[in-house]
Amino acid sequence: MREKRLFYNTISSLVFQVTTIICGFILPRLILNAFGSEVNGLVNSITQFLGVISFLELGVGAVVQSALYKPLAEKNQEDVSKIISSANKFFTRLGQILLIYVIALVIFYPQFAGKNFGFIYTATLIVTISISSFAQYFFGIVNRLLLTADQRGYIQYNAQTLAVVCNTAACFILIRVGCSIQIVKLTTSLIYLLQPFLIYLYVRHHYSIDRKIKYIKEPIPQKWNGIAQHVAAVILDGTDTIVLTLFATLSDVSIYSVYFLVVKGVKQLFMSMTNGITSLIGELWAKQEIKELNKTFSWTEWVIHTGTTFVFGLTAILIVPFVRVYTLGIHDANYIQPLFAALIVAANAGHCLRLPYNIIILAAGHYKQTQNNYIIAAILNIVVSVVTVKAWGLIGVAIGTLVAMGYQTVWMAVYDSRNLIKWPLRNFAKQIFVDGLTVIIGFFATRMIVMPEATYIEWVFLAVKTAIIWIVIVGVLNMVFYRDKMQSMIHKICVKVKRG
């Protein structure tokens, strides 16, 4: 059953992320063409400012999911109901705070960021974009956490995939017929309102949850210890756009959003393949199946590092040629930024490299013990970004994120080794060495390959040639340094092919 659910979660999450990436490239391009770089920058800026409200989530979502592993594994419905009841109360209050925050944003945001558009234009855009956030906090997020913790994440991924496809089709039509950006974003919010409703119906039908259950002792003991982790995550994802809004221009925000669109898509596509692993490791830790846990972690670390190096190595080579094609014909901002591209790709690669170590920390529920790491990473990102943005603009904010990610990755690996699974640090050092060697060889082997014309067909040819070379390099190096894992993986693939 574990393997079956892991397969369902991985495939459905992968389909969702691929769909999101494809649709995510279509809509921004349509907005750029129809409304220009400044409107695109305004939309992305407002979205990030609304994302700041998730500061108030305070990491409770991750703590709730961790708290659910044990009662779900033991089929203790009473404890599950208590955790869900406590979480519902928290997120309902958060939705109420969100309402106050949106009102404040409507009043003050147009004064410093939307001066070129007028108060009504900017204020209505804020309201329309914020609608789906209300649905998430009032009755959507707790049900999603329950499904993910119970290794049924594929339910929510399928609902999200449906919403993304419907939204893209509707917005494409609305932009083509000349509707305003407010109407387009209102349609997006209304479509995304359907997601939590569909998930709620599934949970109500398949789980016996008493949402009004009474409890004396707080069922989520570390509810407030996830604060640092969550704040750091919000800062690492949202600081760059907010810093650019305050200290640069909306055109810079637009340039950043196009590059971030690519790296975020690649990152989430890659991370989607670990969603099932997170809940599996959570269950293994809850049952203290240490031998199986170490075996699973060993494979998880190798697969994530190898996959990250390959995927983000390709991205670093291909992102500028892609942006050149994607923004062809748009001349109101300079979208060709190779140094910024390399730094933002490296920073997001760091986010993925830390995944195996972060998964163990979350599975073990070590929130209080690790919060200083997250606080320091958040401070590093803010300080470095603010100090460097005036001098280097886009490059400065990318450096801030890269420094924070590098610090977190090393710290988490050391913490896991000393306090949780006792994973030897030499394994981590070896993995980092192989990652770096792969990137260096891959870069020099493919840097002379060029795209003769700025077309999607030429970019695809470039991508295929580059990918073939990188596959060979990754395969050869891992056969040298990780022969046992490569042979085991090849054997498993051959067996499945024969069975198929």
Side-chain angles (χ1 to χ4, degrees):
M1 181 58 73
R2 282 176 179 171
E3 289 188 359
K4 191 175 182 180
R5 287 187 177 179
L6 177 61
F7 175 77
Y8 285 158
N9 287 330
T10 302
I11 295 300
S12 60
S13 180
L14 189 61
V15 170
F16 166 60
Q17 293 301 339
V18 169
T19 305
T20 301
I21 291 170
I22 294 172
C23 295
F25 283 125
I26 294 172
L27 285 181
R29 173 66 194 191
L30 290 172
I31 291 173
L32 279 169
N33 270 341
F35 305 107
S37 291
E38 286 219 337
V39 171
N40 185 53
L42 182 66
V43 168
N44 282 278
S45 175
I46 291 171
T47 301
Q48 286 300 332
F49 269 87
L50 285 170
V52 169
I53 194 63
S54 61
F55 263 121
L56 297 176
E57 186 185 321
L58 300 178
V60 174
V63 180
V64 169
Q65 187 171 319
S66 294
L68 283 168
Y69 288 140
K70 187 175 182 180
L72 284 170
E74 296 174 349
K75 301 188 184 303
N76 188 332
Q77 290 299 320
E78 182 179 353
D79 283 355
V80 171
S81 294
K82 288 178 180 178
I83 293 169
I84 295 299
S85 176
S86 176
N88 271 328
K89 291 176 183 177
F90 177 86
F91 285 108
T92 298
R93 293 191 195 102
L94 184 58
Q96 294 166 349
I97 295 172
L98 175 61
L99 178 60
I100 298 171
Y101 176 74
V102 169
I103 293 172
L105 209 58
V106 166
I107 296 171
F108 296 109
Y109 181 90
Q111 307 302 321
F112 66 86
K115 296 177 181 177
N116 295 339
F117 299 98
F119 179 84
I120 299 298
Y121 185 96
T122 306
T124 52
L125 192 55
I126 293 171
V127 172
T128 55
I129 294 175
S130 69
I131 291 173
S132 59
S133 297
F134 286 107
Q136 174 183 347
Y137 289 118
F138 273 114
F139 59 93
I141 193 168
V142 177
N143 291 326
R144 295 209 314 269
L145 292 170
L146 172 63
L147 292 174
T148 303
D150 198 27
Q151 300 181 54
R152 295 177 185 268
Y154 56 89
I155 303 299
Q156 61 159 313
Y157 300 138
N158 291 338
Q160 288 175 307
T161 300
L162 179 62
V164 168
V165 172
C166 292
N167 173 64
T168 303
C171 292
F172 178 84
I173 294 169
L174 291 172
I175 291 174
R176 286 296 188 186
V177 299
C179 290
S180 68
I181 188 65
Q182 286 84 354
I183 296 297
V184 172
K185 287 301 173 182
L186 176 62
T187 302
T188 295
S189 290
L190 294 177
I191 289 173
Y192 282 125
L193 279 174
L194 293 174
Q195 276 186 76
F197 178 69
L198 293 173
I199 293 171
Y200 169 77
L201 292 178
Y202 179 89
V203 169
R204 184 177 178 182
H205 182 70
H206 289 84
Y207 292 87
S208 300
I209 305 295
D210 182 0
R211 296 177 186 269
K212 296 182 180 180
I213 193 172
K214 303 294 183 183
Y215 53 86
I216 299 174
K217 184 181 178 181
E218 172 57 56
I220 311 174
Q222 294 200 74
K223 180 186 284 187
W224 302 107
N225 292 130
I227 294 175
Q229 288 90 327
H230 180 70
V231 169
V234 173
I235 287 174
L236 292 171
D237 276 346
T239 294
D240 294 354
T241 298
I242 293 172
V243 169
L244 289 171
T245 301
L246 295 176
F247 299 105
T249 66
L250 287 177
S251 291
D252 284 331
V253 176
S254 182
I255 295 168
Y256 179 91
S257 70
V258 169
Y259 280 91
F260 190 65
L261 180 68
V262 178
V263 293
K264 182 181 180 182
V266 173
K267 179 176 70 176
Q268 292 190 334
L269 178 62
F270 186 79
M271 289 175 65
S272 69
M273 302 176 72
T274 70
N275 288 332
I277 292 291
T278 303
S279 53
L280 173 59
I281 288 179
E283 182 186 349
L284 291 172
W285 180 268
K287 293 182 175 181
Q288 284 296 288
E289 297 179 19
I290 302 301
K291 185 177 180 180
E292 185 65 25
L293 176 64
N294 280 316
K295 179 181 176 182
T296 302
F297 178 80
S298 175
W299 274 94
T300 300
E301 182 187 49
W302 178 70
V303 169
I304 288 179
H305 273 264
T306 304
T308 298
T309 304
F310 172 69
V311 170
F312 282 91
L314 280 180
T315 303
I317 301 293
L318 299 171
I319 188 170
V320 173
F322 177 81
V323 170
R324 180 177 283 113
V325 178
Y326 187 75
T327 59
L328 191 66
I330 298 172
H331 305 294
D332 56 356
N334 179 19
Y335 284 88
I336 308 305
Q337 304 280 346
L339 180 56
F340 166 69
L343 290 171
I344 199 67
V345 169
N348 282 271
H351 186 280
C352 290
L353 289 177
R354 64 190 264 283
L355 279 175
Y357 319 106
N358 192 47
I359 287 172
I360 292 292
I361 290 172
L362 297 181
H366 278 218
Y367 296 94
K368 184 177 181 180
Q369 299 91 325
T370 60
Q371 61 187 8
N372 287 340
N373 155 59
Y374 293 88
I375 292 170
I376 293 171
I379 292 173
L380 278 173
N381 194 13
I382 293 174
V383 171
V384 175
S385 295
V386 171
V387 169
T388 57
V389 69
K390 279 292 184 182
W392 299 325
L394 291 163
I395 294 171
V397 295
I399 292 174
T401 306
L402 180 60
V403 169
M405 286 299 180
Y407 165 79
Q408 266 204 329
T409 302
V410 175
W411 193 96
M412 286 179 178
V414 173
Y415 182 85
D416 287 357
S417 175
R418 292 177 178 174
N419 300 281
L420 294 173
I421 57 172
K422 313 298 183 184
W423 195 247
L425 280 175
R426 64 177 179 274
N427 292 350
F428 171 72
K430 177 183 177 182
Q431 192 68 72
I432 292 295
F433 170 76
V434 175
D435 295 341
L437 186 62
T438 303
V439 170
I440 292 170
I441 295 175
F443 172 75
F444 282 105
T446 56
R447 67 190 181 97
M448 299 304 293
I449 303 176
V450 296
M451 183 174 66
E453 295 180 52
T455 65
Y456 283 110
I457 293 177
E458 289 293 340
W459 183 85
V460 169
F461 284 137
L462 174 68
V464 170
K465 288 185 285 187
T466 306
I468 291 172
I469 295 172
W470 273 76
I471 287 171
V472 172
I473 293 169
V474 169
V476 170
L477 286 177
N478 277 276
M479 187 61 78
V480 172
F481 291 99
Y482 293 99
R483 180 179 295 272
D484 57 333
K485 286 186 168 58
M486 285 292 290
Q487 289 177 336
S488 178
M489 185 180 68
I490 293 170
H491 174 71
K492 288 180 180 179
I493 293 173
C494 291
V495 169
K496 289 187 177 181
V497 169
K498 288 179 181 178
R499 287 178 180 173

